[in-house]
Amino acid sequence: MSETQSQLLNQKITRRDFLKYTGISAIGATTMSWLLPGCASKDIKVFETADGMIIHESARCTGCLVCEATCSVGNDGKASQITARIKVSQNYAYGPKGVRGDWVNGPGEMGNFSLVADTCRQCEQPACALACPENAIFEHEGTGAREVDPEKCVGCGTCVRACPWGIPTLDPETNVSTKCILCHGYTACVKDCPTGALQYVSWEDAIQKYKEHFQV
């Protein structure tokens, strides 16, 4: 056994590494899917890991909601808390878990005023994309962000229900799903946050440093 083979067998490798070492492309994986036992479909979706994701720090957040306005105006041409890709207002009063018996001790304006924003995790295997019946969610070539193709989206809401954090949102005016696309690298909400409560970090750093953001 060569030294390279030995190293591969004794280390945990990512999906990206596996594809690189084996030379399997997304097309090749789809072609080979019939070889995999237990697969109900012959289509296998392989996603590259996104370059990064947006992290929210509650200790710095004042609840000004500038991020939501910046996001929706920049992406949709209108200020809308509903279609904003970063979601602070939905957790504003009682936190992401809503009203509880001990709500005075929990996050939110009605509790300890520790505000919690829901942000897209740009998941390695995005549930929204895997669940979409129209294959309308793809990865952007530049950032790897999971993005909705408005021409393919039929407004069924499957992606909304599939996401553990409810990040994809149907625009009630267009009936097209929206989600964070990292502004194709610009991350406007991060740049416009007046207190620095938002950060754009590499996906790998997010996994290591902010594990709580990935807990369902």
Side-chain angles (χ1 to χ4, degrees):
M1 180 182 296
S2 69
E3 182 179 350
T4 300
Q5 290 174 319
S6 178
Q7 290 175 350
L8 289 178
L9 290 175
N10 287 285
Q11 68 177 349
K12 182 179 180 180
I13 62 175
T14 65
R15 180 174 287 99
R16 177 184 289 182
D17 291 332
F18 173 77
L19 294 176
K20 179 175 67 176
Y21 292 137
T22 58
I24 299 176
S25 64
I27 296 176
T30 301
T31 304
M32 293 177 60
S33 62
W34 64 274
L35 294 172
L36 303 177
C39 287
S41 170
K42 292 186 178 181
D43 293 325
I44 293 180
K45 297 180 182 179
V46 179
F47 290 85
E48 286 285 331
T49 303
D51 291 343
M53 62 173 285
I54 295 170
I55 294 294
H56 175 259
E57 294 189 10
S58 296
R60 294 187 175 188
C61 183
T62 63
C64 68
L65 305 181
V66 166
C67 57
E68 291 189 347
T70 296
C71 175
S72 56
V73 169
N75 285 285
D76 307 315
K78 59 187 177 183
S80 171
Q81 292 179 337
I82 295 176
T83 61
R85 280 69 167 167
I86 180 168
K87 302 181 183 299
V88 180
S89 54
Q90 69 181 16
N91 302 327
Y92 201 93
Y94 297 99
K97 295 183 179 180
V99 180
R100 303 185 309 279
D102 63 339
W103 58 268
V104 293
N105 299 315
E109 182 188 29
M110 303 303 293
N112 59 21
F113 210 81
S114 176
L115 300 177
V116 180
D118 286 324
T119 62
C120 181
R121 276 69 169 175
Q122 305 296 345
C123 302
E124 186 176 20
Q125 283 297 288
C128 59
L130 297 175
C132 178
E134 300 297 324
N135 293 320
I137 300 179
F138 62 98
E139 63 183 43
H140 184 263
E141 289 185 4
T143 62
R146 285 63 172 117
E147 184 171 346
V148 178
D149 183 342
E151 297 298 322
K152 291 184 177 181
C153 178
V154 296
C156 65
T158 301
C159 58
V160 179
R161 295 186 293 272
C163 176
W165 299 278
I167 296 300
T169 304
L170 286 181
D171 186 325
E173 295 182 2
T174 64
N175 199 38
V176 172
S177 179
T178 64
K179 65 174 298 297
C180 178
I181 59 174
L182 300 175
C183 297
H184 293 164
Y186 180 73
T187 57
C189 63
V190 175
K191 292 178 172 60
D192 285 1
C193 178
T195 63
L198 297 173
Q199 297 180 40
Y200 177 69
V201 299
S202 72
W203 200 86
E204 289 77 9
D205 285 345
I207 293 291
Q208 295 300 320
K209 298 179 182 180
Y210 303 96
K211 292 181 180 179
E212 69 273 14
H213 287 265
F214 292 85
Q215 295 174 357
V216 179

